[in-house]
Amino acid sequence: MHAIVIEKPGEPEVLSWQEVPDPRPERGEIIINVTASAVNRADLLQRQGLYEPPPGASPYPGLECSGIVGEVGPDVEGFSPGDRVCALLAGGGYAERVAVPWQQVMRVPDRVDPVEAAGLPEVACTVWSNVFMTARLRKGETLLVHGGASGIGTMAIQLAKAFGSHVVVTAGSPEKVARCLELGADEGVDYRAEDFSERVEADVILDIIGGKYLARNVKALKTGGRLVVIGMQGGTKGELDLGALLVKRAAVYGTTLRSRPVDEKGAIVRSVVRDVWPLVDAGVIRPVVHTRVPMSDAAQAHRIVEAGEHVGKVLLTNA
Ligand SMILES: NC(=O)c1ccc[n+]([C@@H]2O[C@H](COP(=O)([O-])OP(=O)(O)OC[C@H]3O[C@@H](n4cnc5c(N)ncnc54)[C@H](OP(=O)(O)O)[C@@H]3O)[C@@H](O)[C@H]2O)c1
């Protein structure tokens, strides 16, 4: 098969489409013939040599895919060759074939295009597990989503609105704020023009910035608020005012999905299929796709994401 190989850490040009050995199904694994994958910000860090794949993961980038089940290994439950699926991966999605534990594989929701399904697993599992399973966002509460126009943000807006929350986003331009409002967000803050913490009060904050926003996020939390940090685009360190946290009886969580054990990912995937997929089947939640790029030209897809002009997902397609 072919896969995108990171020849050495560096610029997008280091991504090269090469012939590599086919994966073989281990116990409990499925081989997916990949229709499409999608770019996640973590892939850019992996390409730059700043994010090692977890032990045992494929060396090729790609945290999600859609495709057709090709082979099933021993002890796989619920899937057969020919099934149309999408999957949460620990790596290896930028390829023609990928091996994945069956627990991380999902049916493609009804009405979703087989290519667009590639952009759902990572955002659905990340948003569902953090905002709903960990932070327990409730109907009527306010969710603040940083980077509302990101892949993660576009899913967070739709899911939180579907569950009856008030959604506020931050985004880097008036145009991106407008796109978030079109997707259902109630309010938007252009973070380049305004400090969100001056006017937002949230029960739950989904944060992708980390250190740079820590103090402002705590300031923006309501009493009983929950801050979930899933990204560190603004650094890993910040000053935490424990006094403010105590007075607000608030909590700060930090999580990552990629390195979790298979059984934890499996529990998230089952919950997503049970609670989120019916909303996708019904057309309440839709994949938000910026563009499609041939997988062999993954370098171009990385340039698009690095330029930061996208809204939603950049997909990588196999012919
Ligand atoms: N922990 C986990 O398990 C996990 C899983 C998935 C993703 N993530 C993290 O989630 C984030 C989003 O991932 P993605 O793949 O969806 O990325 P993406 O589409 O490339 O989006 C990155 C976003 O960051 C926003 N941003 C940059 N600086 C900002 C600031 N100062 N304030 C607010 N927003 C700012 C950008 O907003 P503008 O374009 O509007 O400027 C952009 O929407 C990444 O940090 C990623 O590492 C974490």
Side-chain angles (χ1 to χ4, degrees):
M1 70 161 188
H2 287 81
I4 288 288
V5 174
I6 301 173
E7 291 192 310
K8 57 180 183 198
E11 296 299 308
E13 293 66 44
V14 301
L15 299 176
S16 112
W17 188 237
Q18 294 181 13
E19 201 164 330
V20 299
D22 272 50
R24 298 265 164 255
E26 302 283 337
R27 183 168 294 279
E29 282 186 343
I30 287 175
I31 301 292
I32 298 176
N33 293 322
V34 175
T35 303
S37 184
V39 180
N40 286 280
R41 192 145 281 266
D43 306 342
L44 312 187
L45 297 176
Q46 183 173 339
R47 190 202 76 219
Q48 292 162 338
L50 302 173
Y51 190 2
E52 281 292 307
S58 163
Y60 317 124
L63 299 177
E64 55 191 337
C65 75
S66 62
I68 308 283
V69 174
E71 288 176 63
V72 295
D75 297 338
V76 166
E77 293 176 24
F79 293 97
S80 311
D83 288 350
R84 212 158 65 96
V85 294
C86 53
L88 183 67
L89 308 171
Y94 291 19
E96 289 173 320
R97 307 183 85 212
V98 66
V100 54
W102 67 268
Q103 295 92 330
Q104 293 168 218
V105 181
M106 294 158 258
R107 69 173 173 88
V108 172
D110 299 342
R111 296 207 259 170
V112 173
D113 172 272
V115 170
E116 295 197 347
L120 284 174
E122 178 72 16
V123 293
C125 292
T126 300
V127 173
W128 183 253
S129 61
N130 286 293
V131 174
F132 292 88
M133 296 170 77
T134 298
R136 301 193 170 279
L137 181 71
R138 289 184 294 266
K139 190 175 174 179
E141 286 191 326
T142 296
L143 172 69
L144 170 61
V145 181
H146 287 304
S150 65
I152 292 289
T154 53
M155 174 57 73
I157 294 168
Q158 295 185 83
L159 256 180
K161 285 312 297 174
F163 282 90
S165 298
H166 183 85
V167 178
V168 187
V169 298
T170 58
S173 67
E175 294 74 26
K176 286 200 174 181
V177 168
R179 290 293 303 277
C180 295
L181 299 180
E182 278 166 30
L183 279 169
D186 299 285
E187 296 176 56
V189 177
D190 174 353
Y191 67 77
R192 294 185 208 275
E194 199 185 343
D195 176 354
F196 66 91
S197 71
E198 294 294 329
R199 75 163 155 110
V200 181
E201 284 199 321
D203 299 283
V204 174
I205 301 176
L206 183 62
D207 178 52
I208 58 173
I209 302 301
K212 193 172 116 187
Y213 274 3
L214 181 59
R216 277 180 273 172
N217 278 332
V218 170
K219 181 178 166 199
L221 279 179
K222 289 186 187 178
T223 301
R226 291 85 76 199
L227 164 63
V228 192
V229 183
I230 62 163
M232 297 167 294
Q233 292 181 62
T236 57
K237 291 184 181 158
E239 200 167 282
L240 178 62
D241 181 348
L242 287 169
L245 209 62
L246 265 60
V247 167
K248 293 185 180 193
R249 303 187 298 283
V252 181
Y253 300 92
T255 79
T256 178
L257 185 56
R258 188 181 193 178
S259 56
R260 290 203 199 187
V262 171
D263 58 345
E264 282 185 31
K265 286 183 183 165
I268 293 168
V269 162
R270 280 197 304 282
S271 185
V272 162
V273 171
R274 187 187 62 227
D275 297 314
V276 179
W277 266 203
L279 293 164
V280 186
D281 291 336
V284 174
I285 290 173
R286 296 192 174 87
V288 178
V289 174
H290 179 73
T291 191
R292 302 176 179 197
V293 176
M295 180 131 12
S296 54
D297 198 10
Q300 178 57 15
H302 276 216
R303 283 185 208 105
I304 292 170
V305 172
E306 261 164 5
E309 279 154 20
H310 63 294
V311 172
K313 302 288 291 194
V314 174
L315 303 181
L316 296 164
T317 59
N318 278 322

